[in-house]
């Protein structure tokens, strides 16, 4: 049914505009940021948000923080989405809060980023191992068959990956 006074063309244009807007909406994704205390997790997110950070001002989160990033699509138009960002405190004792950020329903659409403190290079390997182990144990505890399927697809994609040849360089 058309609203009173609306012609066929106006109705069709409204329906097309509504379906295009729905089709162009980007899928919901989220970002999980992990890393040691004072590694720069909050600074990284602020930079991604386009904010300037003051190196003199040390920011300390507590537990699990939430913010968002405005993400535009590849075509560069105004269509975009807000990507949720969870930042876990640098203390591994807060690992229990991961269940608030990553669930079996959203794990496949979550990207984890581990921030390492480059000012302490002697701790890089240990820090990376700590956070990878914590994340791996948590994801394994979810017991989702979808996660296992996605893991298998990712491994297959990495194994099948080949570099594109550079222009003008022969193999």
């Amino acid at each position: 049914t058309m609203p009173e006074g609306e012609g066929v063309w106006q109705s069709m244009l409204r329906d097309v505009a509504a379906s295009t807007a729905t089709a162009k909406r980007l899928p919901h994704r989220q970002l999980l940021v992990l890393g040691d205390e004072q590694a720069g997790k909050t600074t990284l997110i602020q930079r991604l948000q386009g904010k300037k950070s003051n190196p003199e001002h040390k920011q300390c989160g507590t537990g699990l923080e939430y913010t968002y990033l405005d993400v535009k699509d590849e075509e560069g138009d105004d269509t975009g989405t807000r990507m949720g960002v969870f930042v876990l405190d640098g203390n591994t004792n807060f690992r229990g809060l991961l269940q608030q950020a990553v669930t079996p329903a959203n794990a496949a659409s979550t990207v984890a980023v581990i921030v390492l403190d480059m000012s302490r290079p002697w701790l890089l390997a240990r820090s990376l191992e700590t956070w990878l182990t914590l994340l791996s144990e948590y994801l394994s505890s979810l017991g989702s068959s979808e996660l296992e399927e996605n893991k298998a697809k990712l491994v297959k994609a990495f194994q099948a990956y080949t570099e594109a040849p550079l222009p003008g360089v022969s193999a």
Side-chain angles (χ1 to χ4, degrees):
T1 65
M2 290 187 294
E4 192 173 327
E6 183 173 300
V8 173
W9 288 109
Q10 289 174 325
S11 174
M12 286 175 51
L13 288 172
R14 183 177 37 82
D15 292 344
V16 168
S19 67
T20 303
T22 302
K24 290 193 106 184
R25 259 188 221 126
L26 298 174
H28 178 73
R29 301 286 189 245
Q30 68 179 28
L31 183 65
L32 173 65
V33 183
L34 307 166
D36 293 338
E37 293 174 348
Q38 298 296 313
K41 298 179 297 291
T42 303
T43 302
L44 173 66
I45 298 306
Q46 286 179 337
R47 298 299 293 227
L48 290 173
Q49 290 172 325
K51 298 176 183 174
K52 291 187 179 185
S53 60
N54 182 353
E56 302 295 319
H57 179 63
K58 299 288 185 186
Q59 295 148 343
C60 295
T62 303
L64 183 68
E65 293 180 56
Y66 177 81
T67 188
Y68 62 87
L69 296 173
D70 286 319
V71 180
K72 303 277 186 208
D73 74 350
E74 298 168 347
E75 297 171 6
D77 62 12
D78 289 338
T79 305
T81 188
R82 284 197 164 162
M83 180 170 59
V85 178
F86 289 93
V87 181
L88 187 67
D89 187 281
N91 187 328
T92 58
N93 292 330
F94 288 105
R95 71 172 53 95
L97 295 174
L98 283 175
Q99 65 187 340
Q100 303 301 317
V102 183
T103 65
N106 69 15
S109 61
T110 300
V111 173
V113 174
I114 298 174
V115 178
L116 301 172
D117 185 352
M118 300 303 280
S119 70
R120 299 182 295 173
W122 56 91
L123 296 177
L124 293 177
R126 187 179 76 200
S127 178
L128 184 59
E129 184 177 354
T130 297
W131 292 104
L132 283 173
T133 300
L134 181 140
L135 186 60
S136 178
E137 288 173 356
Y138 176 72
L139 291 174
S140 294
S141 75
L142 293 178
S144 172
S145 62
E146 182 182 353
L147 287 176
E148 290 303 317
E149 290 170 17
N150 285 337
K151 182 178 178 181
K153 286 179 191 175
L154 186 61
V155 168
K156 187 176 180 179
F158 273 111
Q159 291 171 342
Y161 178 78
T162 56
E163 290 270 346
L166 294 173
V169 177
S170 60

